[in-house]
Amino acid sequence: MRIRKKKWVDEELEKCGFLIKNPEEHIGNWKSIFNNEKPIYLELGCGKGGFGSKFGIQNLDENLICIDEAKAMLGLAKRKIEKEYSEHNQEINNICIVLYDIERIFQIFNENDKIERIYINFCNPWPRGKHKKRRLTHSRQLEQYKKFLVQGGEIFFKTDDDELFEESLDYFNETGFKIIEKTYDLHNYISETSRENIVTEHEKMFSDQGIKIKFLRAVL
Ligand SMILES: C[S@@+](CC[C@H](N)C(=O)[O-])C[C@H]1O[C@@H](n2cnc3c(N)ncnc32)[C@H](O)[C@@H]1O
């Protein structure tokens, strides 16, 4: 998604206490950012922060690191997190944001980080042949995630895109993940199972257009 440059972003991010400025310096030591023993989860391509802000406030016993490469997006995520936490009168201490290209994620996490879960919500579909490698669910990416996900760690993946979903099923299978949950109509599945779901900005946009949301949960 293209987003216009915002004047306030640089200044606000500079002052933001929960933006991790030099993420490479924390490789193998992310636990010290949160200073607790609670599980650490990642959200890859967090966009405007609708998911992360709600997840964080609803799951205070878990830590979440929200990553995006677009500064303007991260600025909006920062504001959304602040708003959500202040409405709940809650200190921001179980969530942080990181400006980084996820294609190089191996430079900021390793096996000592013991990441327990990854959320990938509506990543770019990259439909054209040679660009598919850039998908955040591509086998090349999944191999990177395996380096810091714990055994039994999970990836939750949602998308509107049929082809991306089908091909991602292959990526997960060929990299040794086991798909333990899968649906081609998440919202119907949720109403039948009373499973929890935080609707992201893109999820709302696509489901408002009548597009069914595809979802899978894969375990390492
Ligand atoms: C389609 S948006 C989805 C945003 C949000 N997850 C949602 O569901 O509304 C994809 C997001 O992933 C980010 N993104 C795409 N490729 C990325 C990469 N290689 N590294 C970091 N962020 C990336 C984009 O900047 C954008 O914010």
Side-chain angles (χ1 to χ4, degrees), residues 1-3 43-51 67-71 73-74 98-104 119-126 134-136 141 158 160 198-206:
M1 185 209 276
R2 292 235 172 265
I3 184 160
E43 187 198 1
L44 305 184
C46 65
K48 298 177 187 171
F51 176 87
I67 309 175
D68 205 288
E69 67 180 355
K71 220 179 205 186
M73 289 290 184
L74 216 59
V98 173
L99 182 67
Y100 210 75
D101 176 3
I102 293 156
E103 290 189 48
R104 296 186 291 117
Y119 289 96
I120 304 175
N121 296 321
F122 301 87
C123 61
N124 300 0
W126 295 111
R134 305 194 62 184
R135 292 171 165 173
L136 297 186
Q141 283 300 125
K158 293 197 271 193
D160 57 296
I198 296 173
V199 176
T200 78
E201 288 87 351
H202 274 70
E203 182 168 351
K204 178 168 184 335
M205 181 177 83
F206 290 123

Side-chain angles (χ1 to χ4, degrees), residues 164-193:
L164 171 64
F165 191 68
E166 281 310 315
E167 294 182 8
S168 295
L169 290 170
D170 294 338
Y171 302 148
F172 280 99
N173 284 322
E174 69 197 26
T175 49
F177 283 88
K178 192 168 175 211
I179 293 164
I180 55 167
E181 230 177 339
K182 177 177 90 170
T183 174
Y184 290 86
D185 184 356
L186 177 62
H187 294 176
N188 184 44
Y189 177 67
I190 287 162
S191 55
E192 283 176 355
T193 56

